[in-house]
Amino acid sequence: MTPTDPRTLRTRARLRAALLEECAEHTLDQVSLSAVARRAGVGRATLYLHYDGLQALAVDACADVVRDAVDALHAWTVPPGPDAPPAPLTAFLTAVDERADLYRGLIAEGGGGPLGGLLHDELRTRSFVDRTRAGTPRPALAASATAGLFTGLLADWLHGRLDLSPEEFAGHAWRLLIAIHRTVR
């Protein structure tokens, strides 16, 4: 089977949906591959044809959150002021807050973990392109600072180190991100 084969796409979609359903009832560390396979209506062997394990499945099932985060942080044509984060950023954080248990299992404290690493890489890449296009003198520095700041803040928020509502988090994170772009020269 190829990754674009309709049967492969359907099976992977069922496995991702089954994992998210399991995670609605249990934390990721309480979810078993057997339960996911059973809920998806496939055997464990089929699950292993598509994924190396639970973590790989979880990252695939949650990869949209990375794209959503990157898009939310870049959802403006004219930069909003420091007191007005882009509305998609607050919407993104509200959605993440609703599945915090799942994301906590994939974004480690400090911003590591499989989803944390993916978020950092994707955010850095997009920020580098945007900062280069904007003529920032040191686009790599601004991109690394943006990715590190947001990924670290998100991890701390998910792990309970920052007691903020999604709206408060969006406002504080946005002001810090604006400060990076104003400071890097």
Side-chain angles (χ1 to χ4, degrees):
M1 285 194 235
T2 64
T4 57
D5 181 300
R7 293 170 297 173
T8 299
L9 295 173
R10 279 192 305 271
T11 300
R12 290 174 72 95
R14 285 191 358 233
L15 288 166
R16 288 189 303 266
L19 173 72
L20 294 176
E21 290 169 13
E22 283 291 317
C23 288
E25 300 169 11
H26 311 283
T27 61
L28 183 63
D29 61 343
Q30 295 172 327
V31 172
S32 72
L33 285 174
S34 296
V36 172
R38 210 174 17 259
R39 192 178 283 254
V42 301
R44 279 180 59 121
T46 299
L47 191 148
Y48 280 112
L49 283 175
H50 297 279
Y51 297 101
D52 291 336
L54 186 63
Q55 193 171 49
L57 171 57
V59 167
D60 187 35
C62 297
D64 287 345
V65 78
V66 170
R67 285 186 290 280
D68 292 347
V70 172
D71 289 345
L73 288 170
H74 293 87
W76 45 270
T77 50
V78 175
D83 293 325
L89 178 59
T90 302
F92 163 76
L93 293 169
T94 300
V96 166
D97 193 38
E98 292 169 2
R99 287 197 165 159
D101 287 341
L102 173 61
Y103 298 130
R104 246 190 312 278
L106 297 169
I107 299 176
E109 291 189 41
L115 207 54
L118 183 61
L119 174 60
H120 184 276
D121 292 346
E122 294 289 325
L123 188 52
R124 187 186 185 289
T125 298
R126 176 83 168 268
S127 294
F128 180 79
V129 168
D130 285 355
R131 294 295 87 211
T132 299
R133 196 176 302 134
T136 300
R138 291 181 171 62
L141 182 62
S144 291
T146 297
L149 174 80
F150 187 76
T151 304
L153 286 173
L154 182 62
D156 282 355
W157 183 61
L158 283 170
H159 288 277
R161 292 181 172 191
L162 300 173
D163 186 21
L164 301 168
S165 70
E167 296 80 13
E168 291 169 324
F169 178 53
H172 291 297
W174 185 248
R175 282 188 292 282
L176 290 168
L177 291 166
I178 295 229
I180 287 171
H181 294 298
R182 289 182 177 162
T183 304
V184 175
R185 304 261 181 246

